[in-house]
Amino acid sequence: MKSNGGAGPAGKEVYCGIETICTVDGLHFHCMYNARVKAFNSSGEGDYSELIGLQTAEVAWFTFDPILSGPGLQYSEDNTTVTGEGWEHRVALGSVGFSRGVHYWEFTIDKYDADTDPAFGVARIDVTRDKMLGKDDKGWSMYIDKQRSWFQHAGGHEQRVEGGISVGSTIGVLLDLNHHILSFYVNEEPQGEVAFRDLYGVFYPAISINRGVSVTLHTALDPPSDSEET
């Protein structure tokens, strides 16, 4: 069986083989795609089927990806909870990258040592894995302690905001690639103004934590009601 993305020059062959089911990678969320298939054997090829419309999911479910992430972290069996082990920060990446659309996810603070400052945000796939998120130019983050937070990118940090975290707190990350901005929430309230603007390209959900911190990821959430005003 062969399948492709539809008629005309925009079509792309995505599978050729004996299976009747295939997975297509690299699709955008909340989009409609056309697909068609045709059979072939040693005698030749048949005609393509009629076009079939396929709708991708409106929002993304994802987990942490231990393979993409740095060493020195422990994950739950379902890869939704990550725990820091060493003294140095280690970066954990999500299992999907975003290049368009509006995406919101949250972290619950399960364990927190008041002497540490976990960082939450997004990163390029080639971000440095053994430094706090935002220390290089491949990461954009908010790092936060029990009293306040800062926004950090390429080693520079700014916009100190009062209000910190403790066990049970939630950190929300709003990546709006329709407007190319990144914003943060603490306990469902905005943490300062828009943190970063002019974000273009592919971004992976990311955090960096060290010893004494454990967080659980919650995905495919509706954006906060005030996000359009931001």
Side-chain angles (χ1 to χ4, degrees):
M1 181 189 76
K2 291 185 178 181
S3 62
N4 78 358
K12 177 182 177 182
E13 184 173 291
V14 296
Y15 176 74
C16 179
I18 63 173
E19 302 297 332
T20 57
I21 298 175
C22 71
T23 298
V24 181
D25 296 322
L27 302 182
H28 292 295
F29 295 98
H30 201 198
C31 290
M32 178 68 73
Y33 290 86
N34 289 324
R36 60 183 186 173
V37 299
K38 68 177 177 179
F40 70 96
N41 57 26
S42 58
S43 299
E45 297 183 354
D47 295 330
Y48 273 113
S49 68
E50 295 294 323
L51 288 175
I52 303 170
L54 302 175
Q55 174 73 50
T56 56
E58 183 173 353
V59 292
W61 296 83
F62 60 91
T63 64
F64 292 113
D65 189 327
I67 296 176
L68 291 179
S69 304
L73 298 170
Q74 288 285 342
Y75 298 89
S76 60
E77 185 175 349
D78 61 1
N79 290 327
T80 60
T81 298
V82 63
T83 302
E85 294 185 311
W87 293 105
E88 301 299 325
H89 271 252
R90 294 293 183 264
V91 171
L93 294 181
S95 57
V96 298
F98 300 114
S99 61
R100 60 187 292 182
V102 179
H103 307 279
Y104 180 72
W105 59 93
E106 289 184 343
F107 301 93
T108 301
I109 308 298
D110 301 318
K111 181 181 177 183
Y112 176 65
D113 186 328
D115 293 331
T116 62
D117 42 9
F120 305 85
V122 298
R124 305 290 192 193
I125 189 66
D126 55 346
V127 66
T128 301
R129 292 346 191 236
D130 59 356
K131 294 181 180 179
M132 179 187 285
L133 184 65
K135 285 289 189 181
D136 70 356
D137 64 354
K138 308 296 184 183
W140 293 256
S141 78
M142 176 188 72
Y143 71 93
I144 188 167
D145 60 23
K146 64 180 179 179
Q147 295 179 317
R148 62 191 72 84
S149 67
W150 290 265
F151 303 141
Q152 180 170 244
H153 171 62
H157 59 128
E158 57 185 18
Q159 296 190 48
R160 169 174 162 168
V161 180
E162 296 301 317
I165 57 172
S166 59
V167 173
S169 295
T170 60
I171 302 292
V173 182
L174 176 62
L175 178 63
D176 182 349
L177 291 174
N178 292 341
H179 298 93
H180 310 286
I181 59 177
L182 180 67
S183 305
F184 296 94
Y185 294 75
V186 175
N187 296 325
E188 301 183 350
E189 294 293 331
Q191 187 78 351
E193 303 296 328
V194 170
F196 301 102
R197 300 181 182 273
D198 300 320
L199 299 179
Y200 292 87
V202 179
F203 301 90
Y204 284 77
I207 66 168
S208 69
I209 59 175
N210 57 353
R211 186 172 181 177
V213 179
S214 181
V215 303
T216 296
L217 173 64
H218 309 277
T219 66
L221 304 177
D222 291 330
S225 59
D226 69 328
S227 62
E228 293 183 357
E229 300 175 1
T230 305

